[in-house]
Amino acid sequence: MSEEQSLLRYDALQEVVNIGGGHAATALSKMIGKKVEMDVPFVQLLPYEKVYETIQSDDTIVKAVLSKLMGREYGVFLFVIDPEDAEALAYMVLPDYTELSEELVDSALKELSNILVQSFLQAVMQLIDKPLFASVPVMTMDMFGSILSSVYMEQNHFSEEVFIIKNNFYSSGHIIEGSLYFVPKPKVLEALLQELGI
């Protein structure tokens, strides 16, 4: 692949994520009843082994929400967040004076993950005019390396690349920070880019 093709590919993915981030900010604002703004999303395609070197070490304990992209089994989404950040996020999205429990924190994380995934899929559907659906989100907590490798082992024949979206959303001086990973089936991203005309 030429450098020009790589740049076109990156720009196309960045545009989809920007649209999805805008949808997510709107949905979050409606959810919490406050204005939500976002940074320009960080977007990167990395080989599996490079994720641990550049994004997150494999022995870091994280909370992760898993959602499978249904239909042709395109791949799996993972929303990943530090457990301490998860509690702060729950305070932000739940009604004031809510007494937090582990169950409520996990519920808030699953709802946020669902908003991010659905917003991304909505952005893609606007461009390719095809329905895309994600499964009910499932929560887990473990070392990041164990979670990511289990996705590869449990779902056969995944791509060597991981699509990483890092969004920062702000509301009332607070930050919602988390990373959304998409682990695609082989040739899924290439097929998507072809649908987008790249």
Side-chain angles (χ1 to χ4, degrees), residues 63-195:
K63 286 199 169 193
V65 183
L66 183 149
S67 301
K68 295 179 183 178
L69 187 53
M70 309 299 284
R72 299 185 213 168
E73 297 184 350
Y74 290 99
V76 173
F77 285 100
L78 282 172
F79 175 67
V80 178
I81 192 168
D82 181 276
E84 291 184 6
D85 292 337
E87 188 169 313
L89 182 150
Y91 270 119
M92 181 176 172
V93 302
L94 292 170
D96 292 339
Y97 310 112
T98 300
E99 186 174 342
L100 285 186
S101 64
E102 192 74 13
E103 184 178 357
L104 276 176
V105 170
D106 289 351
S107 178
L109 286 179
K110 286 190 284 187
E111 183 60 27
L112 177 60
S113 175
N114 188 54
I115 286 173
L116 292 175
V117 169
Q118 295 300 333
S119 297
F120 175 73
L121 294 183
Q122 184 182 352
V124 175
M125 287 189 288
Q126 283 182 338
L127 295 170
I128 68 173
D129 196 29
K130 288 184 179 180
L132 297 170
F133 305 98
S135 68
V136 174
V138 176
M139 171 67 65
T140 187
M141 182 171 171
D142 203 339
M143 288 188 297
F144 177 63
S146 297
I147 294 171
L148 191 58
S149 62
S150 70
V151 167
Y152 274 83
M153 287 188 290
E154 292 172 14
Q155 311 292 325
N156 294 325
H157 307 302
F158 277 89
S159 169
E160 288 297 319
E161 289 184 312
V162 181
F163 182 32
I164 301 161
I165 306 167
K166 190 173 180 63
N167 276 102
N168 289 337
F169 296 95
Y170 301 88
S171 180
S172 302
H174 299 287
I175 184 171
I176 299 175
E177 182 179 3
S179 296
L180 185 65
Y181 297 79
F182 179 54
V183 185
K185 292 280 189 178
K187 300 182 180 178
V188 164
L189 285 176
E190 287 76 5
L192 173 59
L193 289 164
Q194 286 180 2
E195 293 276 6

Side-chain angles (χ1 to χ4, degrees), residues 49-62:
E49 67 275 5
K50 292 290 184 180
V51 174
Y52 303 124
E53 297 175 18
T54 60
I55 303 295
Q56 183 87 269
S57 64
D58 61 348
D59 59 353
T60 303
I61 298 296
V62 298

Side-chain angles (χ1 to χ4, degrees), residues 33-47:
K34 299 174 184 176
K35 184 178 180 180
V36 174
E37 298 175 330
M38 72 169 189
D39 286 339
V40 175
F42 166 88
V43 177
Q44 194 163 10
L45 276 168
L46 285 177

